[in-house]
Amino acid sequence: MEDLKIAIIGQSNFAAEVLELLLEREHLVVGVFTVADKGSREDILATTARQHRIPVFKFSAWRRKGIPIPEVLEQYRSVGANLNVLPFCSQFIPMEVIDGAAYGSICYHPSILPLHRGASSISWTLINGDDRAGFSIFWADDGLDTGPLLLQKQCTVYGDDTLDTLYKRFLYPEGVTAMAEAVDMIAAGTAPKIPQTEIGASYDPALFREENQYLNLNQPALSIFNFIRGLDSVPGALAVIEMDDGTTVPVRLFGASLSARRSMANGTPLHFKGSTGEAYVTREGIFITGTDGGLVKVKRLKRGSKVIPASDWFAQTNTKSVPLELNEKEQELDACLRAIWKSILKLEIEPETDFFACGAGSMDVVRLVEEVKDALEVAVSSETVFMAPAYGEFLQEVVLRLRTGGTDQASTLSCDSDKHVLLEANKRRIRVPTQMFVNGRFIDAHQGKTLPIVNPTTEEVVCEVACASAEDVNRAVECAHEAFGTVWATVSPRERGQLMYRLADLMEQHREELATIESIDSGAVYTLALKTHVGMSIDAWRYYAGWTDKIEGSTIPVSPARPNHVLTFTKREPIGVCALITPWNYPLMMLSWKMAAAIAAGNTVVIKPAQVCPLTALKFAELSVRAGFPPGVINIVTGKGSLAGQALADHPLVRKLGFTGSTPIGKRIMAACAESNIKKCSMELGGKSPLVVFADCDLEKAVRLGMSSVFFNKGENCIAAGRLFVEDRIHDEFVRKVVKGVRTMRVGDPLDRGTAHGPQNHLSHLLKLQEYCALGVKEGATLVCGGKRVPSMRGFFFEPTVFTDVEDHMQIAQEESFGPIMVISKFHASDFDALVARANDTEYGLASGVFTKDIQKALLFAERVESGTVFVNTYNKTDVAAPFGGFKQSGFGKDLGREALNEYLKTKCVTIEY
């Protein structure tokens, strides 16, 4: 056979890749024939050919009134081709050209001929529910896809395949390779010509005609599903929605799946024109009922030129878009963005310019996204372009993201709560939401139930906040579950870390506001709230943001059965929906300790903050929206532990529960976790932490930090030293110095910068502290100072208290006060073993401490004491990188540090034999 001289006739990336592959295989391409330019945009095949200096011919048509155009034929014949290759061709090529090459013409067709002849074969493969798809390369003749076969290849059609996935997964990449293989066979003289059989032949209607794109809704669910996926994402199945006012709205449907659901209790009815079945809008999408009762879920729809989540149908319909007023800097951004669009589309850009209507393709989308990221440093994605294809919409989307610092979802969320309280304090006016935060929005509780929030400093009601019911918790959990499997799953670990860093930056910017809310809501001293409550919260988010892309498994050497080989490795995966129940002593910090680790691991979260002080959690929700967290990832249900907390422990979709609180409540939660679905749990419970002070210590430091170990944060501190053991030789001096220090402590308004001791968190706790001190006196302990409510002062203020002569059997030596009460016992240094036994003589094991200059005593104590944290010559010195958690009835599991990630991850082992 003489050398081939190939003419490529066609268009698109497919044809361009065929050209590249033929050139790689050293075939001679003498000419490329493609479509005319659209405006100033030429087809990629023409661009590729010119790069290789191959003659390019662009024709708007090959025929006029059915007759070949003479000058077109002349230009084709001028290249002297002896083989025509048609990889993808939308034009009608005259037989004078098809038969004009000595070796004929070969065409690519995306079906297993003779099945699905015609222009829409991929779509009909899916619409008909075929279990096999494939392509044919055939010799063109004067029929429509009827010529002899050269080669065919097949693949399985999977249940989640769409037109796009089938094309990209198999028909495109394998088709390009097969076209080159076919040319190789022709060059070698081995190419067969197998006549097509008419058995099983079909010719299907062209789906580029709009009248053929309408979805028949009166058929079984499987048929509805197959039709939608057969047109996904081009051009989209057409349906018409009938509005309540009688108007009709044509829409295109995308992202279909067969649903196993049978109940639409929470759905809002929607009616499609001509349909005898029901349809519903839910937060998951639109559900269409087939004639067999099956349900088809649709995730996206296109109205006009804009693609929207199907779940937002009513929200989008009822919302009128208000154009943004651009400031001077944003006007410069507009000019930059227009220039990017113009460079891609090669035309002047107006607000109504539609990216896709102007001929842009998938590679143009990638280019637009990358250029916008580089030029404007704003996170957009391909989805952004599809959701906002008109320039004006796209500009608005970019501006909103830059204003909020958000990602793809940021502009669709609302930071506004319908109900809020305006706190005027600390020379600030702070607006705080009072509704629950579910699925990215602030909402009322079921039936509008609320709870009063009391300022512990003034005893006045600050506001009413939503009181969640079991129904509210269920809604929040289901939203978190949906987000975990959808939008959150598409966020990469590194992107997750970027969201967390952005949230930490926003918390930093608003740290004075957050500290002020913490003072008003929980009674925390402002300076302490600023440094610890808020400061350590920010540290936690930044620390775990750095972990998101460093969570990894390992490879494990195993012993395979010879001669086979085995690869075994582990994957660390998020658990799913994590419920968090946090206490009232550090509202924001406890939220951050737990949630930052859970989010870093890739989970979604529903948190119930303490009933009495939820306001910083709700302000935090606002910041999470501004940071760009997708809806459903972070949810906050406010209310009672007995209702909302119990509902979280009982919920079957919650796979992990993290709790900080009292031991009795922890036991009840563990039982509920076991009985519901054996959900994983971690518990940080009560404490009665021993602090040992040896006579050889630095006494001034021991007194100062010993006081801090008890009175820090008003004694509302889980690791507070619940019992001090002071060596008898220095006991009296230690007590004298402590009492002197207590009497100089300033008790008062927590917002006053000179205050050292604020009010207790709430009234019932204050009353329990009074009972605790009365019991200590009754048992025979010596009340040195304090022991009562601060007289003549409004607010829940309790005097810093010191007890001495406390014996081990007394209840105040065994039970936690969780208040500013120092309990001191003596010991003699001669019996170290007895001292350790006394320190361990409690069911709690959260923390402990020792003050001594003797390193041997310090290390022996640290080795033998039964507590999760040991402080040596210091106290309360925690860090976000150091694991925190207790032993025995102080709970199990860890907050903080690398170990905390284990609480929110599961390990999967994968074994492959080869």
Side-chain angles (χ1 to χ4, degrees):
M1 176 179 291
E2 65 180 275
D3 291 341
L4 294 181
K5 297 178 181 178
I6 300 169
I8 292 184
I9 305 173
Q11 63 203 74
S12 79
N13 284 303
F14 185 92
E17 287 202 28
V18 170
L19 169 60
E20 295 272 15
L21 191 52
L22 291 178
L23 295 175
E24 282 181 20
R25 298 191 180 195
E26 299 184 348
H27 290 294
L28 177 61
V29 178
V30 295
V32 163
F33 299 85
T34 188
V35 294
D37 294 350
K38 293 181 179 179
S40 57
R41 288 171 55 82
E42 69 177 4
D43 188 82
I44 184 65
L45 176 59
T47 304
T48 304
R50 283 192 296 99
Q51 289 172 349
H52 291 283
R53 299 184 178 179
I54 297 171
V56 176
F57 304 87
K58 302 175 184 178
F59 304 141
S60 58
W62 291 69
R63 303 187 312 169
R64 187 179 297 120
K65 296 182 180 181
I67 307 297
I69 302 172
E71 53 267 32
V72 169
L73 284 179
E74 182 181 348
Q75 290 185 64
Y76 164 73
R77 290 168 178 156
S78 69
V79 300
N82 56 22
L83 175 68
N84 295 324
V85 175
L86 285 68
F88 177 85
C89 184
S90 63
Q91 296 175 309
F92 191 95
I93 309 302
M95 290 307 300
E96 287 83 350
V97 173
I98 295 296
D99 294 335
Y103 298 117
S105 302
I106 60 170
C107 294
Y108 170 89
H109 184 78
S111 80
I112 309 169
L113 290 173
L115 190 62
H116 305 309
R117 293 170 175 166
S120 305
S121 53
I122 311 176
S123 296
W124 286 104
T125 297
L126 293 166
I127 292 170
N128 285 5
D130 297 352
D131 59 4
R132 304 289 295 173
F135 58 82
S136 305
I137 296 174
F138 68 95
W139 299 91
D141 62 8
D142 58 356
L144 186 60
D145 307 328
T146 57
L149 299 174
L150 193 160
L151 64 80
Q152 290 184 319
K153 292 190 178 182
Q154 300 183 19
C155 71
T156 300
V157 177
Y158 298 120
D160 59 350
D161 268 324
T162 65
L163 182 150
D164 275 1
T165 63
L166 196 56
Y167 183 64
K168 293 173 182 176
R169 174 170 62 84
F170 182 80
L171 299 176
Y172 184 114
E174 293 296 327
V176 169
T177 302
M179 285 298 287
E181 181 183 338
V183 173
D184 288 344
M185 294 168 68
I186 294 170
T190 60
K193 290 188 177 182
I194 305 168
Q196 284 195 46
T197 176
E198 289 303 311
I199 299 172
S202 67
Y203 176 76
D204 302 303
L207 291 172
F208 57 76
R209 300 183 187 280
E210 188 171 290
E211 62 267 22
N212 295 329
Q213 297 164 8
Y214 281 92
L215 170 64
N216 174 14
L217 292 155
N218 298 317
Q219 55 182 332
L222 179 59
S223 298
I224 294 173
F225 163 69
N226 282 337
F227 191 86
I228 296 173
R229 68 173 179 151
L231 279 73
D232 192 344
S233 62
V234 178
L238 262 174
V240 178
I241 294 175
E242 292 186 332
M243 307 298 289
D244 291 340
D245 61 4
T247 59
T248 59
V249 181
V251 295
R252 294 188 180 272
L253 310 178
F254 306 98
S257 60
L258 284 173
S259 174
R261 291 185 60 170
R262 288 295 177 264
S263 171
M264 286 287 107
N266 298 323
T268 304
L270 182 74
H271 189 257
F272 285 96
K273 184 178 180 180
S275 174
T276 58
E278 298 170 321
Y280 302 89
V281 179
T282 76
R283 68 175 181 277
E284 297 177 48
I286 292 176
F287 286 82
I288 300 171
T289 308
T291 54
D292 57 351
L295 292 172
V296 178
K297 180 172 73 174
V298 176
K299 296 182 69 174
R300 299 180 303 280
L301 55 82
K302 187 175 184 180
R303 180 180 185 180
S305 63
K306 187 171 184 179
V307 179
I308 63 171
S311 57
D312 287 351
W313 170 254
F314 288 112
Q316 294 281 344
T317 301
N318 298 327
T319 302
K320 294 183 178 179
S321 178
V322 179
L324 294 176
E325 291 289 334
L326 302 185
N327 58 36
E328 185 175 341
K329 186 175 181 180
E330 290 166 348
Q331 289 171 3
E332 294 175 4
L333 178 150
D334 180 11
C336 178
L337 202 55
R338 281 178 189 271
I340 294 172
W341 275 56
K342 184 176 180 179
S343 69
I344 297 172
L345 298 179
K346 311 297 184 188
L347 48 80
E348 294 300 320
I349 306 301
E350 302 295 337
E352 62 275 9
T353 300
D354 187 290
F355 195 70
F356 299 105
C358 293
S362 58
M363 291 305 298
D364 297 309
V365 173
V366 174
R367 178 182 167 187
L368 174 61
V369 168
E370 293 307 313
E371 289 198 22
V372 170
K373 285 181 180 178
D374 289 343
L376 304 178
E377 297 183 354
V378 60
V380 295
S381 68
S382 299
E383 191 78 2
T384 313
V385 189
F386 288 113
M387 293 292 189
Y391 175 76
E393 296 170 345
F394 189 82
L395 171 64
Q396 184 156 307
E397 190 77 11
V398 170
V399 170
L400 282 170
R401 286 179 197 185
L402 286 171
R403 287 183 181 181
T404 61
T407 57
D408 275 0
Q409 294 80 12
S411 63
T412 65
L413 302 177
S414 171
C415 289
D416 294 329
S417 172
D418 293 336
K419 299 174 183 176
H420 62 273
V421 61
L422 188 64
L423 303 180
E424 299 191 45
N426 209 15
K427 298 180 181 179
R428 285 177 169 79
R429 292 166 57 88
I430 307 169
R431 185 179 181 278
V432 183
T434 57
Q435 297 171 290
M436 300 185 310
F437 182 70
V438 176
N439 206 31
R441 290 181 171 83
F442 289 100
I443 60 171
D444 285 330
H446 185 62
Q447 296 181 341
K449 291 184 179 179
T450 61
L451 282 172
I453 301 300
V454 176
N455 182 336
T457 303
T458 65
E459 302 183 54
E460 296 174 349
V461 173
V462 177
C463 61
E464 299 274 338
V465 299
C467 181
S469 64
E471 291 91 337
D472 295 316
V473 169
N474 182 62
R475 178 179 180 183
V477 172
E478 288 188 345
C479 290
H481 179 69
E482 172 70 12
F484 177 73
T486 55
V487 62
W488 197 227
T490 65
V491 177
S492 72
R494 196 157 296 170
E495 290 170 331
R496 197 159 66 235
Q498 290 169 352
L499 288 172
M500 295 175 70
Y501 278 124
R502 192 174 297 125
L503 177 57
D505 290 344
L506 286 167
M507 292 170 72
E508 182 84 56
Q509 293 170 25
H510 293 267
R511 65 185 302 159
E512 290 83 4
E513 288 185 11
L514 292 168
T516 302
I517 298 169
E518 204 87 320
S519 294
I520 294 171
D521 200 20
S522 71
V525 171
Y526 175 75
T527 51
L528 177 64
L530 200 62
K531 179 180 183 295
T532 301
H533 290 233
V534 179
M536 201 170 184
S537 298
I538 295 168
D539 289 346
W541 284 99
R542 287 182 174 148
Y543 174 78
Y544 284 109
W547 268 112
T548 56
D549 59 356
K550 301 170 188 68
I551 298 170
E552 54 193 26
S554 58
T555 56
I556 303 169
V558 296
S559 300
R562 298 182 185 277
N564 293 336
H565 300 273
V566 169
L567 170 65
T568 296
F569 62 91
T570 60
K571 296 179 66 182
R572 304 283 281 149
E573 298 179 347
I575 292 174
V577 179
C578 295
L580 307 176
I581 301 175
T582 51
W584 41 259
N585 58 329
Y586 294 102
L588 183 63
M589 193 172 81
M590 291 294 100
L591 174 153
S592 299
W593 280 22
K594 295 182 186 298
M595 192 187 294
I599 292 293
N603 302 284
T604 55
V605 170
V606 180
I607 183 170
K608 193 207 83 65
Q611 172 183 334
V612 292
C613 48
L615 296 185
T616 42
L618 295 174
K619 190 66 179 178
F620 167 88
E622 274 192 2
L623 301 181
S624 74
V625 173
R626 292 181 57 189
F629 279 85
V633 175
I634 294 173
N635 304 274
I636 298 174
V637 289
T638 50
K640 299 179 179 179
S642 57
L643 290 176
Q646 188 67 47
L648 284 171
D650 292 337
H651 205 289
L653 290 180
V654 172
R655 294 298 175 186
K656 163 67 201 289
L657 190 146
F659 173 75
T660 294
S662 71
T663 298
I665 300 299
K667 291 178 179 179
R668 287 169 53 186
I669 288 176
M670 281 188 67
C673 288
E675 290 171 4
S676 57
N677 59 347
I678 316 185
K679 59 174 61 70
K680 184 179 181 180
C681 56
S682 54
M683 300 278 156
E684 197 259 279
L685 306 175
K688 191 65 176 174
S689 302
L691 173 58
V692 176
V693 182
F694 284 99
D696 63 355
C697 71
D698 179 336
L699 185 58
E700 295 299 326
K701 182 179 182 181
V703 169
R704 176 170 52 83
L705 293 180
M707 290 180 63
S708 175
S709 75
V710 176
F711 303 126
F712 187 84
N713 200 48
K714 311 162 292 175
E716 296 169 354
N717 190 25
C718 52
I719 59 170
R723 185 176 182 190
L724 275 71
F725 295 91
V726 180
E727 190 172 340
D728 51 9
R729 286 194 296 150
I730 61 168
H731 174 274
D732 293 348
E733 180 68 5
F734 183 89
V735 172
R736 184 183 66 78
K737 288 178 177 291
V738 165
V739 172
K740 179 181 178 182
V742 165
R743 286 173 177 163
T744 62
M745 288 175 64
R746 182 171 170 181
V747 180
D749 182 356
L751 290 172
D752 189 321
R753 303 305 191 265
T755 295
H757 192 84
Q760 305 308 134
N761 186 275
H762 51 280
L763 179 60
S764 63
H765 181 53
L766 177 72
L767 298 177
K768 286 180 181 178
L769 293 179
Q770 291 177 317
E771 294 173 4
Y772 188 92
C773 290
L775 178 61
V777 172
K778 183 178 178 181
E779 289 183 312
T782 301
L783 179 62
V784 179
C785 62
K788 62 183 182 298
R789 187 172 184 171
V790 176
S792 304
M793 182 180 288
R794 186 174 62 168
F796 307 138
F797 291 94
F798 192 81
E799 293 179 338
T801 300
V802 178
F803 275 103
T804 60
D805 302 318
V806 178
E807 301 295 333
D808 293 355
H809 68 274
M810 294 180 181
Q811 193 163 338
I812 64 170
Q814 293 293 321
E815 293 301 322
E816 181 180 31
S817 70
F818 212 65
I821 300 172
M822 182 178 284
V823 174
I824 302 176
S825 300
K826 290 182 184 178
F827 75 92
H828 192 277
S830 62
D831 195 343
F832 184 83
D833 291 343
L835 171 65
V836 174
R838 292 178 70 190
N840 288 334
D841 186 20
T842 171
E843 273 301 300
Y844 299 110
L846 188 56
S848 61
V850 58
F851 281 87
T852 177
K853 292 179 181 177
D854 186 334
I855 189 64
Q856 182 181 27
K857 281 190 293 187
L859 291 178
L860 281 174
F861 179 81
E863 180 180 303
R864 294 173 59 184
V865 72
E866 297 171 346
S867 65
T869 297
V870 183
F871 298 109
V872 178
N873 293 329
T874 187
Y875 209 88
N876 282 328
K877 200 171 189 64
T878 55
D879 188 272
V880 292
F884 180 93
F887 302 158
K888 299 189 287 189
Q889 290 195 40
S890 286
F892 54 89
K894 296 295 182 183
D895 287 321
L896 302 182
R898 182 176 185 173
E899 287 192 41
L901 290 169
N902 296 331
E903 307 299 330
Y904 301 98
L905 291 165
K906 58 189 178 187
T907 300
K908 179 181 289 180
C909 182
V910 180
T911 297
I912 303 169
E913 187 173 82
Y914 59 97

